Amino acid sequence: MSHFSNIKTQIRNLTSLKAALDDMGIDWKEGPHTVRGYKGQTRTAEIVVEQNNNYDIGFSWNGSEYELIADLQYWQQPLSVDGFLKKVTQGYALHTILDESSKQGFQVAQQQKNEDGSIRLVVQRWSA
């Protein structure tokens, strides 16, 4: 029986996911790469975060989104699983918005991180 847990996300853009992990200062490897689990079990993922305890965290494409895969019993991150996913998702959303707004001719006029952890973003576009 597998010890791996698959946690659904709304993450669909690999570039924004990588940027979010970079913003968090997380060292990751691009796959396909092996995610190590309990008793030598492995899975394959497109993004792998190696942990010091030899049990990894991965993001694997399931056909519609990137799922977080990990043996949660051996989670070894400064944030809880929920906290980690919230921070990754926030960074992912920010980078997706920045990328999409740039494609539509918008520029960032203001970006501010609030005390509560939220991000205020103002974009603008000049028309001729």
Side-chain angles (χ1 to χ4, degrees), residues 50-62:
E50 294 179 342
Q51 299 186 114
N52 292 333
N53 63 2
N54 295 322
Y55 297 91
D56 305 321
I57 301 166
F59 285 91
S60 181
W61 183 250
N62 69 7

Side-chain angles (χ1 to χ4, degrees), residues 73-127:
Q73 183 176 346
Y74 298 101
W75 184 264
Q76 193 180 52
Q77 294 296 308
L79 296 169
S80 66
V81 176
D82 188 47
F84 178 83
L85 274 175
K86 283 181 180 177
K87 192 137 175 108
V88 169
T89 301
Q90 181 187 45
Y92 169 79
L94 174 65
H95 284 282
T96 300
I97 290 166
L98 291 173
D99 185 50
E100 290 302 316
S101 60
S102 175
K103 286 177 186 175
Q104 295 178 26
F106 288 89
Q107 294 179 327
V108 175
Q110 186 179 34
Q111 183 175 336
Q112 170 186 330
K113 186 160 189 163
N114 299 321
E115 282 186 34
D116 65 358
S118 64
I119 298 170
R120 182 174 184 270
L121 186 65
V122 177
V123 295
Q124 64 184 10
R125 176 172 63 183
W126 300 99
S127 58

Side-chain angles (χ1 to χ4, degrees), residues 26-38:
I26 294 175
D27 187 26
W28 53 270
K29 294 186 178 186
E30 188 163 6
H33 203 279
T34 301
V35 178
R36 301 168 296 173
Y38 181 70

